[in-house]
Amino acid sequence: MSTLPPRTLPLASARDTIYNATFWLAYGANVVLVMANALSFQFAEWVKHLGGSEQLTGSIVSAGLIGALVLRLAMGQFIDRYGAGRLWAISSACFIIGCVAFTQIHSLGWPIYAARVLFSISLAGMFTCSIVHIQNQVPAERRTEVIGNLGSSGFVGMILGAQLGDFIFRTVIEAETKFLILFSTAAALGLVHMLVAVLLTRGQPHERPAEHVSALRLLARYWPGPVVVVALLMGITFGVTTIFLRRFSTEMGLAGIGTFFTAYSISAFVFRITSASWSQKYGRHAMILRGLAGHFVAMCGLCLVTREWHLVFPAIAGGYGHALLFPAVISIGSGSFPRRYRGMGTTLSLGFVEAGTMLSAPLLGAIIDRFGDNAALKFGFIPMYGTAAGLVVCVAAFYFLTAARHPDIDAEHVEDREFEFGEAGYDREEDAPVAAPFPHLGRNT
């Protein structure tokens, strides 16, 4: 019978503070990373400048996400075997290379696809490593809390990045110079992030799994269940705001997207802080349903925008939805995996969000193009927002009828109840039972 090696990572107890120097360094690194990523919200404008359509923008973004998804299985196994530090540094370097590559592209063609793939892969690695690193520093009952509060740094970065992007667009007249400054700034921020990541993980011990199990087998064994559909939906709504909102702003003659993302981020930050204990007080299923309601209001609200200040109201609703959804979805998804496979669990949970954007981006762009000549439909954006709102309703109904009908408590230690063959008394892995298709239904995880 196999046994687990003893833990070597110094976890904080439930009574200890989790907001130490490590947390705040990770917080600052995340601010810088999201700030750099927010500059890419102008990507659709760049493709349009190069002569592309909305659907082509969606296809390029989708290609990048396909690359990230393909490598996510390898990323998860790499983290579990070698720790987050190495992949974090490699991903940061790839991010810098991707941003520099954007500055050298002056026409549509395969290089823009290649650069976007590298950009998306590196972002996937950096965000995953950040989340894996921070949740491995705290006890299980505080994982949702720390994921949520670390995530609040993203809203600070989103405000700064969106405002900086709008500032560059307002002050720089020549288009080529505008995008050169935009992507060069993102590369510089990526360098800062890499330096902090190296400092955070230098010399940190890592517990390697005793046995090597394939990624697909792990996914089958610890399948997160209906929360996967919610993660896909999150990717769709992210695509609406981070890919196409800039184009909507331009077509409607608005000043930019800084107003939306500032209000969105402030709202998300406030609700993230005030809802820090909701996972233990109300349960994560309730957080998910409330978050979906916020995204529905946001998508409907965008249909009504005719002035820049109108963006504030859907932004507040979207920020509320994001604040509740992200920590709950990632906590349930990654928490269905035992701690020594947490890297795989986290990267797959984030991968489902990316898959939602990947699958929907070309479709949303095609909807905009289809009705692009109709001013009454706001150049195709109202049908696009309406489609997204309808999908939110469908996902909310599905989740309510499946996972939300079962209890959820955020203080369970999944590694104490996992289907591991050694701990369950099986001498061989093939003798162990396989987890149920929806492992968190009917149990408190």
Side-chain angles (χ1 to χ4, degrees), residues 123-369:
L123 274 180
M126 294 157 80
F127 279 121
T128 299
C129 291
S130 176
I131 294 174
V132 170
H133 169 263
I134 200 63
Q135 67 178 317
N136 279 345
Q137 312 305 310
V138 301
E141 65 270 18
R142 302 192 72 178
R143 283 190 301 105
T144 305
E145 176 188 347
V146 78
I147 291 172
N149 287 335
L150 177 68
S152 69
S153 63
F155 306 130
V156 177
M158 195 178 293
I159 292 173
L160 297 175
Q163 292 291 346
L164 178 59
D166 277 358
F167 175 77
I168 293 172
F169 263 64
R170 286 194 304 268
T171 55
V172 180
I173 305 300
E174 206 277 318
E176 289 292 333
T177 304
K178 184 184 301 181
F179 291 112
L180 174 63
I181 294 174
L182 195 77
F183 295 127
S184 297
T185 303
L189 292 170
L191 177 61
V192 173
H193 178 85
M194 180 172 68
L195 295 175
V196 178
V198 170
L199 177 63
L200 273 172
T201 58
R202 184 178 56 184
Q204 188 175 70
H206 172 68
E207 175 187 313
R208 180 180 295 192
E211 73 280 3
H212 177 73
V213 184
S214 72
L216 292 178
R217 192 166 187 178
L218 284 175
L219 181 59
R221 181 186 297 173
Y222 303 110
W223 179 252
V227 75
V228 167
V229 181
V230 181
L232 292 170
L233 187 279
M234 288 172 60
I236 294 172
T237 58
F238 288 167
V240 169
T241 55
T242 63
I243 300 174
F244 297 110
L245 188 63
R246 175 75 222 191
R247 291 292 308 131
F248 174 70
S249 173
T250 299
E251 293 294 334
M252 295 296 295
L254 309 180
I257 57 176
T259 296
F260 177 87
F261 283 107
T262 298
Y264 183 102
S265 301
I266 291 174
S267 168
F269 186 90
V270 170
F271 285 116
R272 179 66 59 79
I273 298 302
T274 57
S275 67
S277 63
W278 285 14
S279 63
Q280 298 177 60
K281 187 174 181 180
Y282 302 113
R284 291 169 292 181
H285 298 328
M287 291 176 66
I288 286 175
L289 291 174
R290 294 180 185 186
L292 290 173
H295 276 311
F296 174 76
V297 173
M299 295 299 103
C300 293
L302 286 171
C303 294
L304 305 176
V305 171
T306 56
R307 299 286 187 274
E308 185 177 359
W309 65 269
H310 293 172
L311 290 168
V312 171
F313 301 105
I316 291 173
Y320 170 80
H322 188 150
L324 300 186
L325 281 176
F326 189 82
V329 168
I330 300 304
S331 177
I332 291 176
S334 64
S336 67
F337 291 72
R339 185 174 177 273
R340 61 189 177 281
Y341 295 124
R342 193 60 48 75
M344 179 61 67
T346 302
T347 194
L348 289 174
S349 299
L350 293 170
F352 287 124
V353 178
E354 292 173 351
T357 304
M358 176 198 74
L359 295 171
S360 65
L363 173 63
L364 296 177
I367 292 173
I368 297 171
D369 288 339

Side-chain angles (χ1 to χ4, degrees), residues 11 13 15 28 95 131 258 260 276 335 406 419 424 443:
L11 293 179
S13 74
R15 296 183 299 275
F95 179 84
I131 294 174
F260 177 87
H406 299 267
F419 290 114
R443 71 179 198 185

